[in-house]
Amino acid sequence: MLTLAEVCKELRISRSTFYDWRAKRRAPRCIKLPNGDLRVRRTELDHWLDGQEDTA
């Protein structure tokens, strides 16, 4: 599982952008740990990225 910092670094976005996308339900699905931290499964991020491809 990837940390939020790792996901943001890979996508080259800020943490606030990720939270904005999450609020708008545009971010990859996350797992919320008991301490409140978020994690993203590598497979979920890859699947989400595949869905973002431009078909034009």
Side-chain angles (χ1 to χ4, degrees):
M1 288 191 284
L2 302 168
T3 65
L4 188 53
E6 292 169 329
V7 172
C8 290
K9 182 177 179 181
E10 184 170 331
L11 297 176
R12 297 181 181 181
I13 60 170
S14 67
R15 184 179 288 265
S16 63
T17 297
F18 184 87
Y19 281 120
D20 183 51
W21 289 357
R22 186 167 154 80
K24 294 176 181 174
R25 300 191 179 276
R26 294 183 181 165
R29 292 189 319 167
C30 299
I31 298 168
K32 190 170 188 178
L33 301 178
N35 66 358
D37 287 350
L38 296 176
R39 296 288 187 271
V40 177
R41 286 188 176 100
R42 165 52 65 188
T43 55
E44 180 60 33
L45 180 60
D46 290 342
H47 178 72
W48 179 85
L49 285 169
D50 288 343
Q52 303 306 309
E53 287 184 6
D54 187 6
T55 58

